[in-house]
Each structure stands twice: as C-alpha cells, then as structure tokens.
Amino acid sequence: MTRTIPPDVVQSAAGRPPRRTGAKPRTSGSALGRSDALAGARSGLSPARLAAAVAAPMTCRQMDGVIRTLRRAAPRWRPTAVAEVAAGRPDPFRVLTACLLSLRTQDGTTREASARLFRIADTPAAILATRASRLARLIFPVGFYRSKARTLRAVSRVILDRFGGRVPDDVDVLTTLPGVGRKTANLVVTIGFGKPGICVDTHVHRISNRLGFVRTRTPEETEWALRAKLARRHWIDYNDLLVAFGQNVCRPLSPHCSVCPVSGPCHRVGVARAR
C-alpha cells in the first residue's frame, strides 16, 4: 500500500509551521524536526517532491523489521573502514580524517592508509607538523592522495584556528571545513559523536530505493526523504548497516537476492538481474 504523507510533514519540510497545534513534535521519523525542516527548505526539495519521495510502497513498520533483520545478519559482514576506525578509538578527528580518505577509495585501501597515517599523526597539530609531501606518501594509494594531503592540512588549520582544536559536532558547521560535504559531515556526527544524522552514499541511496522505502533521484533527495520517513532511532547506524549490506549482499549489479535476509519485504525496485 502506498503511504500518504501527512500534510504537516510536507509543510514542515518546506520550513513552514505545521498545521497541527497543541501536539508534541514526533521524533519517530514521521516528521522533520525544526532544524532539519529549515535545512530541507534550503536544500531546494519542494513539499511536492518530498511527498513523492516518501510515498514509496515500503512502510515505516516494514522498514523497522528490515533493519532488525539486517542487524542480526551484520556480525557476519565486515564493518566499513570508517566504522572500524571509530571502534578502535571513537575520536571525531580520526573519524573525520578516515572519512576524507575514504572518498572515491575502496575500504581496504582506506583501512591501510588510515593505519599508516595515524601511527604518525592523528591530531590537527600533528597533521600540520607533517609536510604535505609526507602525508601524501603515508596515505598513498587512496584516490587523489596529493589533493587529500593538502585538504587534511587545511582542515587541521581551520579546526585549530576556529574551533580550538576540537571538531565541531554540527552538520552545517562541518560543511564549512575544506573538502567536507554533507555525506562526510553526517558520518562524522553519527559515528564520531553518536548524534542522529543521515549519511547517504551510493549504497544507502541505491538500497533505500531498491527496498521501496523511498522514491528519490539523487543521494541529496534520499537524505531528506529519510529524515522525513525513517524512525530517528535508526539514523545513527543506518549508513554503516546499509553499506555493509551493499558490499556483501545487495550489490549494485546482480545482487545476491537468493541469500538476502530481507528478500521477502524487498520490492526489488530497478533490479533486472539477480543471483
């Protein structure tokens, strides 16, 4: 059954006051919080587009079941490189650094590069004390390693100069750092600080649509659709869970539907061939 989005959700997403009065804000994922609503309006996602994005066939209750099932299966899958960095030492700067290294880079390469770098420098001051040429050698062969070495130094300088050496814990503030987009900012907030956020990469965008939970065209639209529809209690680990699922089972081409633990409720949107 297609889910109809309540009018107050659409209005909140547009940054306007909701129509209902006297009701407490809902934080279960059915409506946006005020700060997220205003950010959603700035993103350019119209109320009509948001309504269409969340009016996908999989319901919130079905997604709850999918996430419970995936969590039970997750111990069989290797976590993402960034999640492993956070598990080793939950330091926001190390998480931010690993996120920057991971962009357009395979997880295995990110793990090895992060380990080499952190043995030498894992604080903003230590990064700045290391020449860009040496940083580049330490993180090679991550994608764009020379550019990323310069970015690490620029980010470290801003963190020291503007934030007293502490990584900010706000998505909008994080995106003011050199080279930091919304995906990286959300991942730092969720994994580095344990605060709710929606990090959408290619896996999360693809699988959220493939399951039939949202109907979006871009990762940016997926973020705001998930903020409107996904229960807030799932936000923190949603990215890591779906990325691990996407790397091991729900592959981009010819997914392993025959062994998928959530093949039952999945709508297989856009799946032309499966194994």
Side-chain angles (χ1 to χ4, degrees):
M1 178 183 297
T2 300
R3 179 180 183 273
T4 301
I5 183 170
D8 62 307
V9 176
V10 175
Q11 292 229 341
S12 292
R16 305 188 191 96
R19 291 177 181 172
R20 292 185 305 189
T21 58
K24 294 182 179 180
R26 295 162 63 186
T27 58
S28 62
S30 298
L32 294 173
R34 180 174 176 78
S35 61
D36 291 334
L38 295 175
R42 289 198 302 271
S43 75
L45 194 61
S46 69
R49 183 61 206 141
L50 178 61
V54 301
M58 179 173 284
T59 66
C60 296
R61 178 174 293 182
Q62 288 173 322
M63 178 55 91
D64 284 343
V66 166
I67 291 175
R68 286 195 300 270
T69 300
L70 292 180
R71 283 174 178 157
R72 289 194 295 268
R76 300 196 297 268
W77 309 325
R78 186 167 188 179
T80 64
V82 176
E84 287 187 345
V85 166
R89 190 199 301 177
D91 172 31
F93 183 74
R94 288 166 64 97
V95 172
L96 171 59
T97 300
C99 286
L100 292 172
L101 296 182
S102 71
L103 299 175
R104 298 189 182 183
T105 303
Q106 293 186 345
D107 260 15
T109 302
T110 301
R111 289 187 186 96
E112 296 171 0
S114 298
R116 285 193 303 271
L117 175 62
F118 292 154
R119 283 194 291 267
I120 304 300
D122 65 351
T123 66
I127 291 290
L128 282 177
T130 307
R131 295 180 62 178
S133 58
R134 188 182 184 194
L135 290 176
R137 290 194 299 271
L138 288 170
I139 65 177
F140 179 84
V142 302
F144 307 97
Y145 63 95
R146 292 190 181 91
S147 175
K148 287 181 180 179
R150 293 191 293 269
T151 296
L152 289 177
R153 286 177 56 85
V155 166
S156 297
R157 173 60 66 192
V158 173
I159 289 174
L160 285 171
D161 290 349
R162 288 178 51 197
F163 304 106
R166 298 177 65 87
V167 176
D169 62 354
D170 178 87
V171 170
D172 290 332
V173 177
L174 280 164
T175 57
T176 67
L177 298 177
V180 176
R182 287 197 64 85
K183 182 182 78 171
T184 295
N186 273 295
L187 203 56
V188 171
V189 165
T190 55
I191 296 183
F193 291 98
K195 295 176 61 176
I198 298 287
C199 176
V200 178
D201 62 4
T202 56
H203 290 287
V204 173
H205 173 61
R206 180 184 74 254
I207 296 171
S208 297
N209 277 273
R210 182 177 284 175
L211 287 168
F213 187 62
V214 298
R215 188 181 287 120
T216 56
R217 298 169 295 196
T218 66
E220 290 76 17
E221 286 189 359
T222 300
E223 178 188 343
W224 299 110
L226 290 173
R227 284 182 180 273
K229 189 175 181 181
L230 182 67
R232 196 175 181 88
R233 62 182 177 276
H234 299 317
W235 287 17
I236 291 178
D237 64 349
Y238 190 72
N239 175 269
D240 192 53
L241 189 63
L242 262 64
V243 171
F245 177 50
Q247 290 175 342
N248 290 272
V249 180
C250 197
R251 305 297 296 272
L253 301 175
S254 189
H256 297 277
C257 294
S258 61
V259 296
C260 176
V262 294
S263 60
C266 179
H267 290 266
R268 302 190 189 187
V269 176
V271 176
R273 185 181 65 176
R275 286 175 279 179

